[in-house]
Structure formats: C-alpha cells, structure tokens
Amino acid sequence: MSQYFSKRYQDLEPYIPGEQPQDQSYVKLNTNESPFDPPKEVIPVIREAARNIRLYSDPESRELRQAIADYYGLEPENVLVTNGSDEGLNYAFMAFSDEDHPIVFPEITYGFYPVIAKLNHIPYETFSLRDDFTIDIRDYEGLGKNICLANPNAPTGIALSLEEIEQIVRTNPDNIIIVDEAYVDFGARSCVPLLYRYDNLLITQTFSKSRSLAGGRLGFVLGAKELIADMNTLRNATNPYNVNRMTAKAGIVTLRENTYFKNSCQTIQFNRRYTRRALEQLGFEVLPSSANFLFVRIDRISGEELYLRMKEKGVLIRHFSDPKITDWNRVTIGTKVQMDIFLQKVEEIFREQDEEKEKTK
Ligand SMILES: *Cc1c(COP(=O)(O)O)cnc(C)c1O
C-alpha cells in the first residue's frame, strides 16, 4: 500500500475473483461462465460495431434498453444497463443505503455484497443460513431494512420460491429489496412479474452466465422508473459510457436468439442432473441447485485438498476460505465432456488417496 492511499480505503478488502489463467489449458469449472459460445450471429455484429470504435457509445444505451424492456414486457425507463451486473449492484447499494439505512443479506452469499457495502461506507448486517444452507425467510419478513438476496443463492445454488420473495417484498414496503438473479435462468422462478405490483423491488441480471457474454461485461437492473432514474444519476456521475458499443450490439443479438438460449440452459440443467447423480454415487453431499453449479462436499477429502489436487490434474474448481464453507467446493456445470473429465479426475484422486493410505500402513 502506498503512503498516498486514502485512509478511507485502507481497510478495504477487495473481492477475490476466481482464477482466470491465461494459458487456457485447464478444464475451467471455477467461475460459472457458460461452456458454450454465444449464438453465431454475435461475432459478426461485434465486428460491425467495432468499425465505429473511435466514437463513444450511446450514453443512454437506448436500443439495448428497449430490447431488454421488450423481452421482459417492461418499458425502457424500467431498465438500467451496466458493465456487468456487479456495476448495477454497486449503484443499487449506493443509491438507497447509507449510514442511516443499513443493508441486510445472508451470511453466506455472493462475496461482492460486503465489499461494495464497505466501499460505500454502508453498514451491513447478515443472517446466518439454516444448517441445510437454506434461507429462513422469517428473518427478512417485516424487517424494515434494505435487503439484498441472490436468488438462486451463491455459492449454494438453492433458490427461494416466487411466493417467498413476494412475502419479503410485500412486508418491507418502505425499504428496497434487491434480488440478484444472476443464475435465475438455470431453473429458478424470476420475480420480474412482481415488478408490476411492487415499486420497492430491484432485480439485477447478467449476460455473463446463461448468455455466454462474461467477457463482454453486460448486466442490467430492472425496477420502478423512479428507482432506475436515481441509479442512472449515479451511473452518469460515475461512467456515462459504461456499456461499450460492441457489447451493446452483442446483447441485443443474444436476446433475439431465444431458442439458442433456451437450449443451452436446458443442456446445463441436463448436465447438472447427470453430474449430481454421479457425485452422489461417489458419496458426495450435493446441495439441491437451481444454478449452473453444484456445491459439494465429502468427508474423505477437504475442500482445499480437492481443489489443489484437481488443479494439478488440470481441472479448476472453486474453493472458498470462509471457515463456514471451507469443507465445500463449488463446481461449475460445463459440457458433458468437461463433466466426464471432472468426474474421472475425482475418481483418480480417490484411488491415489487409497494407494497412499495403503503405503503408510
Ligand atoms: C456472477 C455473478 C454476478 C455478476 O456477474 P457480472 O459478470 O458482473 O454480471 C452477480 N451476482 C452473482 C451472485 C454472481 O454469481
């Protein structure tokens, strides 16, 4: 840390993203990207858009916001587009929470929430999950505080029902409820229909997971027009050209190719079921996931050791150092071929463990 770094940020612990090795030689199951390319129409429109790269993008991203609004049956004023949904989450925290309005989220959830709270000097509180890693919605009913929930939750993959989300939104009418739907397309119910009835709800979604555009950085926030306008004020004060012209076009085309999208989500769900069964047969405990990953553990090997041994064998999975989940690993669902390699390496590690035990007898 330099001697010049502002005191305000000296205690900030940055979010630690999953590894992004640049040599590309790993089977990469650690950061929940799609294993599939975006629809083939995407690359030509990116090329075309790049011809005007000397010009700024539209600061209001009108065409893209219209496309997203049409897709969800909303109006463009209900849509804020952002450089990944992380940027939208940051504005949602900044705009509606402060020293007098703390924000509440589960103790085990997306690691970015406490980071943006600290960055913006927003006090936050957490509720622990139940022993089975489910959220107890009674903690949040009538709480009278701003709330942020990932649905499905990360890294557990467990989803709340639409009725449960509605219960939380309905009983906190004077507070903002942020629902982070980064993984919703893989099998949970989206709470977009609630936007017609509640004006204290904000929904964030991303093109990074189910829509294969993680490297393009595109997310969006849906909500009542007044809330979106407030967040847009912050966006304009921070980064008015936050979505670049190539990504904006890629987003529009990706939304249009809906059959391709539905098929890839279905394939992920199929591969998830396949992987879950295989892991359970090997003795793993596997949480019921509605996302494109599985959260798994097994007594015979620690989360950290499984992660390290898998990495040696060329397969990246995610391990978190938080003591409450340090026994666990999060495994992204990839193609069937990738999942077979993953499963084969797990079995190999177990065999090696047995041999090592045999030797030390
Ligand atoms: C991946 C992820 C995001 C955001 O990703 P972006 O690439 O910034 O859109 C948000 N929330 C959760 C829970 C995620 O896992």
Side-chain angles (χ1 to χ4, degrees):
M1 193 187 301
S2 83
Q3 64 187 106
Y4 308 106
F5 194 38
S6 169
K7 266 203 221 44
R8 266 159 131 185
Y9 304 120
Q10 287 182 0
D11 297 334
L12 190 67
E13 285 167 47
Y15 174 69
I16 303 165
E19 303 160 83
Q20 303 295 347
Q22 297 306 311
D23 51 22
Q24 290 296 318
S25 58
Y26 288 99
V27 173
K28 202 171 168 307
L29 305 176
N30 68 330
T31 50
N32 298 342
E33 291 131 325
S34 173
F36 306 117
D37 285 329
K40 63 179 188 315
E41 292 79 0
V42 164
I43 299 297
V45 299
I46 288 177
R47 269 178 198 282
E48 187 57 34
R51 293 159 68 107
N52 283 322
I53 200 166
R54 70 187 180 84
L55 300 174
Y56 282 116
S57 57
D58 173 9
E60 293 303 324
S61 296
R62 274 163 294 199
E63 197 188 357
L64 174 59
R65 281 168 55 222
Q66 184 71 56
I68 293 169
D70 290 347
Y71 189 90
Y72 290 100
L74 300 165
E75 291 176 55
E77 294 78 17
N78 298 117
V79 183
L80 184 85
V81 294
T82 52
N83 193 298
S85 57
D86 287 346
E87 187 188 26
L89 287 163
N90 188 38
Y91 296 144
F93 274 50
M94 274 175 87
F96 308 109
S97 297
D98 55 34
E99 286 76 2
D100 304 317
H101 303 90
I103 190 155
V104 181
F105 42 81
E107 182 178 45
I108 294 168
T109 190
Y110 187 34
F112 199 58
Y113 306 151
V115 175
I116 43 183
K118 282 181 199 152
L119 175 66
N120 296 298
H121 304 285
I122 297 165
Y124 65 90
E125 295 161 24
T126 59
F127 285 115
S128 46
L129 300 179
R130 294 194 185 97
D131 288 344
D132 62 359
F133 290 97
T134 56
I135 288 172
D136 188 344
I137 69 152
R138 289 171 302 183
D139 291 336
Y140 301 90
E141 280 171 6
L143 184 64
K145 290 178 185 162
N146 293 339
I147 295 167
C148 180
L149 295 171
N151 195 45
N153 197 14
T156 64
I158 299 173
L160 292 172
S161 70
L162 184 58
E163 292 70 27
E164 289 171 309
I165 296 282
E166 176 163 15
Q167 180 70 1
I168 295 168
V169 176
R170 191 177 57 75
T171 59
N172 290 284
D174 299 325
N175 296 94
I176 298 293
I177 313 301
I178 305 167
V179 180
D180 176 352
E181 295 192 335
Y183 300 105
V184 78
D185 299 322
F186 299 108
R189 281 277 293 287
S190 170
C191 62
V192 168
L194 300 182
L195 288 175
Y196 302 116
R197 272 179 286 144
Y198 299 95
D199 58 12
N200 61 327
L201 171 63
L202 287 172
I203 302 169
T204 63
Q205 285 198 14
T206 177
F207 282 69
S208 296
K209 316 291 170 43
S210 57
R211 294 186 185 272
S212 307
L213 292 182
R217 310 305 302 125
L218 183 57
F220 55 92
V221 188
L222 305 176
K225 292 178 185 178
E226 296 73 21
L227 300 184
I228 295 297
D230 291 340
M231 295 175 65
N232 200 35
T233 301
L234 297 179
R235 186 190 66 86
N236 274 315
T238 313
N239 189 9
Y241 305 104
N242 61 333
V243 176
N244 73 69
R245 51 175 62 246
M246 286 74 69
T247 294
K249 289 289 182 192
I252 293 165
V253 171
T254 305
L255 277 179
R256 199 183 299 150
E257 300 302 321
N258 206 40
T259 311
Y260 182 90
F261 163 72
K262 296 275 174 206
N263 282 339
S264 56
C265 291
Q266 242 175 38
T267 307
I268 295 297
Q269 285 175 280
F270 181 87
N271 295 352
R272 180 175 73 205
R273 198 173 325 135
Y274 170 80
T275 308
R276 148 191 299 289
R277 286 190 185 145
L279 284 172
E280 282 173 349
Q281 262 164 18
L282 289 170
F284 278 89
E285 184 179 347
V286 183
L287 295 189
S289 171
S290 302
N292 67 337
F293 55 81
L294 292 172
F295 203 47
V296 306
R297 66 167 288 285
I298 190 164
D299 281 334
R300 61 178 293 162
I301 189 163
S302 75
E304 182 170 25
E305 191 177 353
L306 183 60
Y307 156 74
L308 288 170
R309 289 210 190 193
M310 290 301 284
K311 188 172 175 182
E312 272 169 26
K313 294 181 182 296
V315 179
L316 281 182
I317 58 175
R318 192 78 193 260
H319 175 252
F320 299 90
S321 52
D322 179 342
K324 279 172 219 80
I325 49 172
T326 193
D327 294 344
W328 295 75
N329 292 102
R330 191 192 67 191
V331 183
T332 304
I333 302 300
T335 61
K336 175 116 183 327
V337 170
Q338 288 179 313
M339 299 329 287
D340 278 329
I341 295 172
F342 162 74
L343 291 164
Q344 202 186 319
K345 300 295 179 190
V346 171
E347 289 186 65
E348 219 172 276
I349 289 166
F350 289 176
R351 267 201 307 278
E352 288 166 8
Q353 259 191 329
D354 292 341
E355 283 162 17
E356 285 156 24
K357 263 192 215 132
E358 212 43 51
K359 269 189 218 140
T360 53
K361 254 184 199 166

